[in-house]
């Protein structure tokens, strides 16, 4: 039985009045904040439009970058700090007047009814997909058919022989499958799938209006899906509500695939016609620069989804302290306990995972027993804890800004869309507020991995860490992209707020000296986080070794990363 819609996925749109109520900011300040949020949406749409290429002949329009044509943003989370853009009082007055209009028709709720092309409200259902017994192909087809019937309630029912399944390799946390349903599922137009209704309506309009009454009484769903089944024991150290919260936000911004359904131990996602990047692809200079731009766009979302700060550190423009306790409780109820305070994910994960290591110590010793190097690390665990303390002090002195970070940007989590060659980042399991330096360093560390190696997919090749020139190529693009994003966020309100996608974006010209200086500073900042990446995934590997059923040498992986961590912390100096 369905548990009904999850509060995580209500399409909420804040008005300046509600932002003011939740944050304690004045109405004018809140209007400025909402305006800044709209600006980010429009700028992202314009960036997408400026990059889009004409789709190849015969390719489906859905293979292109479809999100920029009207993907409105659901704004769950107002911020407590004012944007740096300067907007005239006249505009604030106009924004205040407009706020009263966009709150209709449900002004009593405080949430507007702004059209949302993505309109995601997938049901969160108490269904579980059991694959722990390694079912046969026929049995797996039957289970997947049953799952789809429960999630979509199609008419007619999906049979096992309608299901084709292909397991996708490379996932280290989940089991991921491409599922094709033939014929494609059909649901009544009156079904609960309101979010699918809107997507299908948009697609049908792009090909002309439906004319016959029969077509209006039913909806033909897509034939292909991505089925993600969560790994055993992963929920002990990974917060699914947090992941789903961010997915619901990012999808509306054009980052990642749409969500079709959520069940007890997994979800159904849109299948994007694409190719997954390889270890060689990310070394290609043009692809690396493309990844840098995408990462910078993700990081910029912190200016939209700004973390809450403690009430003692917040004040309004007159210096008066703001009481945000009730505000945080209100927002947290929407996010179902998701931490919105901006505490870096690096420390949040390390704190909780280290506690789990102690709790599972006996089991960890058991799984490491056949690996002498792992046992040596465990026997000297006090040394590990001391190195973590040293690393933490060093990192906290870097001043690396907290951004919205992916935190797992390895090549297997980056897709290249067919028809446009646009890169799409997927798998936001570890995403959240984190240090900019960590996200970039972690990506660089992933250059050393070959998760598809025939014999040793768990081993890292340290010689493959990006060279100085390769790092500078990536960072140069990141620095320029950041300047571009910052400048356009501060552009003239009348230009930024226009829905005309043909309006040129504001170009930024930085001197070679300025770029070189920023690259040098950022490269130094990133270097401090390389040990953190190794430790983060090292203890993750120890915990995975205790429970995961995926065929991967987690002990060997954890041992190597912890050994590199200890060596780098010992060698680390403050030359920057």
């Amino acid at each position: 039985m369905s548990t009904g819609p999850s509060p995580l996925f209500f399409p909420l749109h804040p008005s300046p009045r509600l932002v003011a109520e939740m944050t304690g900011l004045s109405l004018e300040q809140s209007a400025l904040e909402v305006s800044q949020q709209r600006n980010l949406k429009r700028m992202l749409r314009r960036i997408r439009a400026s990059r889009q290429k004409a789709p190849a002949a015969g390719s489906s329009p859905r293979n292109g970058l479809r999100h920029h044509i009207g993907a409105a943003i659901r704004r769950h989370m107002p911020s407590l700090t004012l944007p740096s853009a300067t907007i005239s009082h006249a505009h604030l007055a106009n924004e205040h007047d407009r706020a009263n209009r966009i709150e209709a028709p449900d002004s009593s709720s405080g949430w507007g009814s702004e059209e949302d092309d993505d309109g995601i409200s997938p049901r969160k259902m108490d269904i579980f997909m059991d694959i722990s017994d390694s079912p046969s192909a026929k049995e797996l087809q039957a289970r997947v058919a049953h799952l789809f019937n429960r999630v979509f309630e199609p008419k007619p029912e999906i049979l096992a022989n309608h299901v084709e399944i292909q397991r996708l390799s490379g996932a280290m946390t989940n089991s991921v499958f491409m599922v094709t349903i033939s014929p494609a599922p059909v649901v009544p137009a009156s079904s609960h799938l309101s979010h699918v209704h809107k997507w299908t309506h948009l697609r049908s309009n792009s090909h002309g209006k439906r004319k016959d009454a029969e077509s209006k009484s039913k909806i033909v769903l897509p034939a292909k899906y991505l089925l993600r089944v969560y790994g055993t024991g992963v929920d002990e150290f990974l917060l699914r509500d947090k992941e789903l919260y961010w997915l619901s936000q990012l999808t509306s911004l054009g980052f990642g695939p749409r969500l079709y359904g959520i069940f007890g131990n997994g979800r159904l996602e849109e299948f994007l016609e694409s190719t997954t990047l390889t270890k060689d692809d990310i070394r290609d200079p043009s692809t690396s620069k493309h990844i840098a731009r995408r990462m910078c766009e993700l990081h910029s979302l912190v200016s939209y989804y700004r973390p809450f700060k403690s009430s003692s550190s917040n004040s309004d423009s007159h210096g008066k302290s703001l009481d945000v306790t009730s505000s945080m409780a209100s927002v947290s109820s929407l996010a179902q306990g998701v931490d919105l305070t901006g505490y870096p994910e690096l420390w949040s994960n390390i704190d909780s995972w280290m506690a789990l290591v102690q709790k599972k110590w006996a089991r960890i010793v058991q799984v490491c027993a056949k690996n002498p190097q792992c046992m040596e690390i465990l026997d000297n665990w006090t040394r590990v804890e001391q190195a973590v303390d040293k690393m933490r002090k060093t990192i906290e002195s870097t001043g690396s800004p907290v951004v919205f970070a992916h935190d797992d940007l390895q090549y297997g989590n980056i897709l290249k869309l067919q028809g446009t060659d646009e890169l799409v980042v997927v798998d936001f399991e570890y995403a959240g507020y984190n240090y900019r330096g960590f996200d970039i360093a972690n990506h660089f560390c992933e250059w050393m991995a070959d998760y598809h190696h025939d014999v040793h997919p768990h081993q890292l090749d340290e010689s493959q860490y990006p060279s100085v020139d390769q790092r500078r190529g990536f960072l140069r693009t990141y620095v320029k992209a950041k300047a571009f994003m910052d400048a356009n966020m501060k552009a003239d309100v009348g230009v930024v707020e226009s829905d005309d996608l043909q309006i040129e974006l504001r170009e930024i010209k930085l001197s070679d000296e300025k770029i070189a200086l920023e690259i040098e500073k950022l490269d130094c900042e990133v270097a401090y986080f390389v040990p953190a990446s190794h430790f983060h995934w090292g203890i993750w590997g120890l915990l995975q070794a205790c429970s995961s059923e995926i065929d991967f040498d987690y002990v060997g992986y954890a041992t190597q990363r912890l050994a590199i961590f200890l060596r780098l912390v010992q060698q680390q100096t403050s030359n920057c």
Side-chain angles (χ1 to χ4, degrees):
M1 178 180 294
S2 168
T3 58
S6 165
L8 283 169
F9 301 100
F10 284 159
L12 305 176
H13 306 282
S15 66
R17 179 174 62 79
L18 184 66
V19 171
E21 290 175 357
M22 297 179 73
T23 63
L25 297 174
S26 69
L27 186 61
E28 285 193 343
Q29 291 170 323
S30 299
L32 182 62
E33 190 69 20
V34 171
S35 176
Q36 188 82 340
Q37 294 169 357
R38 291 196 187 108
N39 290 352
L40 177 60
K41 177 194 73 174
R42 288 179 171 88
M43 186 174 69
L44 287 174
R45 289 171 57 198
R46 198 163 292 140
I47 290 172
R48 302 285 196 280
S50 68
R51 289 185 191 160
Q52 189 175 21
K53 302 175 183 177
S59 65
S60 166
R62 292 184 67 244
N63 293 346
L65 199 58
R66 69 249 182 258
H67 295 290
H68 74 278
I69 22 179
I73 301 175
R74 291 178 306 284
R75 304 175 182 89
H76 282 247
M77 192 176 109
S79 72
L80 291 179
T81 54
L82 290 177
S84 55
T86 301
I87 301 180
S88 67
H89 289 290
H91 169 70
L92 287 175
N94 293 335
E95 185 63 38
H96 173 65
D97 293 340
R98 189 183 337 177
N100 294 328
R101 294 197 298 272
I102 64 173
E103 285 180 1
D106 185 15
S107 60
S108 62
S109 69
W111 296 104
S113 58
E114 182 176 331
E115 280 299 314
D116 186 345
D117 294 340
D118 284 333
I120 298 174
S121 296
R123 295 197 301 173
K124 189 175 183 180
M125 309 183 73
D126 56 356
I127 306 169
F128 284 81
M129 177 74 184
D130 184 14
I131 59 172
S132 61
D133 57 346
S134 301
S136 65
K138 187 174 182 179
E139 175 60 24
L140 184 59
Q141 285 178 301
R143 295 182 189 182
V144 170
H146 177 70
L147 174 69
F148 273 69
N149 286 326
R150 292 290 303 278
V151 172
F152 289 145
E153 299 175 6
K155 303 292 183 184
E157 192 174 81
I158 298 170
L159 303 179
N161 60 1
H162 295 165
V163 178
E164 180 183 336
I165 303 172
Q166 178 184 347
R167 184 159 189 163
L168 304 180
S169 60
M172 295 172 60
T173 305
N174 307 315
S175 296
V176 183
F177 305 89
M178 182 183 75
V179 177
T180 304
I181 309 294
S182 182
V186 177
V187 299
S190 59
S191 78
H192 61 272
L193 300 171
S194 60
H195 58 294
V196 179
H197 284 211
K198 190 168 290 188
W199 298 341
T200 308
H201 175 68
L202 290 171
R203 280 200 300 276
S204 65
N205 281 349
S206 66
H207 296 288
K209 294 183 178 180
R210 300 179 179 182
K211 297 181 180 180
D212 57 291
E214 182 182 357
S215 65
K216 293 181 180 180
S217 66
K218 63 183 181 181
I219 297 174
V220 180
L221 302 181
K224 287 186 178 181
Y225 301 85
L226 200 72
L227 169 61
R228 191 178 301 274
V229 181
Y230 304 147
T232 305
V234 173
D235 287 348
E236 280 191 293
F237 56 91
L238 197 156
L239 299 177
R240 289 295 174 191
D241 279 351
K242 176 178 70 70
E243 179 194 10
L244 294 173
Y245 172 80
W246 286 118
L247 279 174
S248 70
Q249 310 310 307
L250 293 167
T251 301
S252 67
L253 286 163
F255 293 97
R258 291 162 167 158
L259 290 173
Y260 283 106
I262 303 154
F263 52 96
N265 63 328
R267 60 183 183 264
L268 293 176
E269 303 173 7
E270 176 185 18
F271 180 81
L272 299 174
E273 295 290 349
S274 60
T275 57
T276 304
L277 297 192
T278 68
K279 65 181 180 64
D280 297 319
D281 288 334
I282 62 174
R283 307 185 76 84
D284 175 73
S286 62
T287 302
S288 182
K289 292 175 182 177
H290 197 163
I291 294 170
R293 288 196 299 271
R294 294 303 275 160
M295 179 182 283
C296 184
E297 287 177 15
L298 276 173
H299 288 180
S300 73
L301 298 188
V302 74
S303 67
Y304 175 88
Y305 292 106
R306 301 186 190 189
F308 283 103
K309 299 177 181 179
S310 63
S311 57
S312 61
S313 64
N314 286 284
S315 59
D316 61 17
S317 59
H318 302 290
K320 183 180 178 181
S321 178
L322 302 178
D323 181 8
V324 299
T325 305
S326 59
S327 304
M328 290 188 62
S330 178
V331 174
S332 295
S333 68
L334 297 175
Q336 291 192 346
V338 177
D339 182 6
L340 305 178
T341 63
Y343 183 62
E345 293 289 330
L346 175 61
W347 305 136
S348 179
N349 289 343
I350 286 178
D351 291 346
S352 61
W353 294 356
M354 286 287 276
L356 273 176
V357 166
Q358 294 299 326
K359 180 180 177 180
K360 295 176 176 289
W361 188 260
R363 175 60 179 161
I364 290 174
V365 171
Q366 183 181 11
V367 298
C368 287
K370 295 182 180 180
N371 188 314
Q373 189 179 11
C374 184
M375 289 304 300
E376 182 181 354
I377 291 174
L378 296 182
D379 289 340
N380 295 276
W381 195 249
T382 301
R383 179 190 172 203
V384 173
E385 293 174 330
Q386 291 171 346
V388 172
D389 290 341
K390 179 181 178 182
M391 175 188 73
R392 186 164 190 153
K393 292 176 182 177
T394 300
I395 284 175
E396 290 178 342
S397 69
T398 64
S400 182
V402 172
V403 298
F404 178 79
H406 183 278
D407 294 332
D408 189 20
L409 204 58
Q410 50 117 330
Y411 57 81
N413 289 337
I414 308 172
L415 308 180
K416 179 183 287 188
L417 295 182
Q418 292 182 11
T420 65
D421 289 341
E422 182 64 30
L423 297 186
V424 174
V425 178
V426 297
D427 289 2
F428 290 89
E429 291 176 310
Y430 302 95
Y433 301 115
N434 210 352
Y435 295 109
R436 173 181 66 183
F438 178 86
D439 209 20
I440 300 174
N442 189 72
H443 173 68
F444 287 166
C445 287
E446 292 295 344
W447 284 44
M448 302 186 290
D450 182 3
Y451 298 122
H452 301 286
H453 193 279
D454 293 337
V455 182
H456 303 298
H458 65 283
Q459 288 187 354
L460 302 181
D461 182 353
E462 292 187 75
S463 69
Q464 296 302 300
Y465 188 83
S467 65
V468 172
D469 287 343
Q470 289 169 327
R471 297 198 307 273
R472 286 179 177 171
F474 181 98
L475 298 176
R476 173 180 292 274
T477 300
Y478 184 97
V479 166
K480 294 172 71 174
K482 185 179 185 303
F484 173 82
M485 296 287 289
D486 290 348
N488 280 279
M489 281 299 293
K490 299 174 185 177
D492 297 336
V493 173
V495 174
V496 177
E497 289 206 333
S498 171
D499 284 323
D500 183 0
L501 297 180
Q502 303 306 314
I503 291 178
E504 292 185 4
L505 293 161
R506 176 173 292 183
E507 294 185 6
I508 287 298
K509 293 183 179 179
L510 300 177
S511 67
D512 290 340
E513 293 79 6
K514 176 66 172 176
I515 292 174
L517 177 62
E518 292 300 317
I519 290 173
E520 193 70 27
K521 289 166 56 179
L522 187 51
D523 192 34
C524 185
E525 174 189 324
V526 168
Y528 283 119
F529 287 89
V530 173
S533 173
H534 287 295
F535 181 73
H536 181 271
W537 296 112
I539 54 174
W540 173 89
L542 289 180
L543 294 171
Q544 284 279 45
C546 294
S547 57
S548 179
E549 296 172 348
I550 295 175
D551 184 17
F552 185 82
D553 186 358
Y554 289 106
V555 170
Y557 177 81
T559 299
Q560 184 183 15
R561 300 212 71 159
L562 290 173
I564 296 173
F565 158 71
L566 290 169
R567 188 185 75 236
L568 292 181
V569 170
Q570 184 177 14
Q571 295 173 349
Q572 200 166 53
T573 58
S574 56
N575 294 328
C576 296

